[in-house]
Amino acid sequence: MPHVIERAPTGRAKCRGCGTAIARGDLRLGEQLPNPFADDEGALMTHWFHLACGAYRRPEAFLEALSLIDAPDAADPPPGPIEDRERLAHEAAEGVAHHRLPRVNTAERAATGRATCRACKTPIPKDAWRISLLYYEDGRFTPSGFIHAACAPAYLETTAILPRVRHFTPALTDADAAELEAEFERG
C-alpha cells in the first residue's frame, strides 16, 4: 500500500514529526513502512504525520502521496482541498533538494556552553542561538546535536530554514525570528 493523505477518523493518532495528537477530521500523511515486528512477509505499518510535519520531516513520502492524489486513476477519492498545498509541496521539494534540511528541528538559546556545532566543530556559547537536529533511522527520529544559527545555511546548503524552525518552535516570537534571520544572513 502506498503512502496516503486522508482525514483522521479519530483523534487518537500522534504525529511522528512533532509528537502532538492529530485532531479528528484533520488531514494527515500516512507513511507506509515495512513492519519489522510482523510474522508475515511484506507486512506494513503506518506512521502518521500532520501534513506540515510530513512535508518538513518526510518530504519524499509527502510528495509521493500528493502525486497519488493527483493521479487520474487514483483508487481513493481525494480527501478534499489541501490548505496551503503549494507551500507544503514547495517545502517538501526543498527538503528533497537539500538532503540535510529535513533534519532541522527547533531553535533555542544554548543553555550552557558545552554543546559543539556539528558544522564548524566549535563550542556553541551560552545564550547563543542554535538549531537542534534530528536523524531519521528505522522509523524513529533521533536527536543528533546542534549547529550554530550562523552555520545553518552552509550546513543545510540553503537559506530556506526559518519556516521549518517556526513550525517546530511555536513559542518563537517575531523578534526571535528576526534575530535568527539575521544570524542566517550573517552565516
Side-chain angles (χ1 to χ4, degrees):
M1 183 175 174
H3 308 309
V4 64
I5 293 177
E6 67 177 29
R7 295 215 175 267
T10 68
R12 295 185 321 224
K14 281 194 173 181
C15 174
R16 290 278 178 143
C18 67
T20 63
I22 302 171
R24 180 181 182 179
D26 282 358
L27 288 174
R28 65 185 184 174
L29 168 69
E31 182 181 21
Q32 298 286 318
L33 300 170
N35 187 345
F37 305 106
D39 292 332
D40 299 335
E41 263 312 295
L44 298 174
M45 63 182 172
T46 305
H47 288 177
W48 298 107
F49 296 87
H50 293 107
L51 280 188
C53 295
Y56 290 135
R57 296 249 196 261
R58 304 298 298 147
E60 295 90 355
F62 180 82
L63 291 173
E64 182 181 321
L66 274 183
S67 70
L68 292 173
I69 287 175
D70 296 337
D73 59 344
D76 295 324
I82 297 174
E83 191 176 317
D84 287 341
R85 179 186 173 126
E86 288 76 27
R87 182 186 64 80
L88 293 174
H90 172 74
E91 292 295 340
E94 285 286 315
V96 170
H98 306 286
H99 71 280
R100 289 180 174 167
L101 196 54
R103 298 178 190 172
V104 171
N105 190 28
T106 59
E108 60 188 27
R109 292 204 178 268
T112 67
R114 294 188 310 236
T116 300
C117 178
R118 291 186 63 87
C120 69
K121 311 292 188 233
T122 62
I124 301 173
K126 183 178 181 184
D127 294 325
W129 281 108
R130 66 184 184 182
I131 308 295
S132 67
L133 303 173
L134 297 174
Y135 280 117
Y136 185 76
E137 295 176 326
D138 300 327
R140 297 174 190 246
F141 291 100
T142 307
S144 63
F146 302 94
I147 55 175
H148 290 104
C151 292
Y155 179 80
L156 301 169
E157 300 172 345
T158 182
T159 57
I161 306 161
L162 198 56
R164 291 165 195 274
V165 169
R166 286 199 88 140
H167 178 78
F168 293 110
T169 315
L172 205 64
T173 65
D174 289 338
D176 292 340
E179 284 182 43
L180 278 169
E181 191 69 40
E183 287 287 319
F184 297 154
E185 289 174 9
R186 188 172 66 98

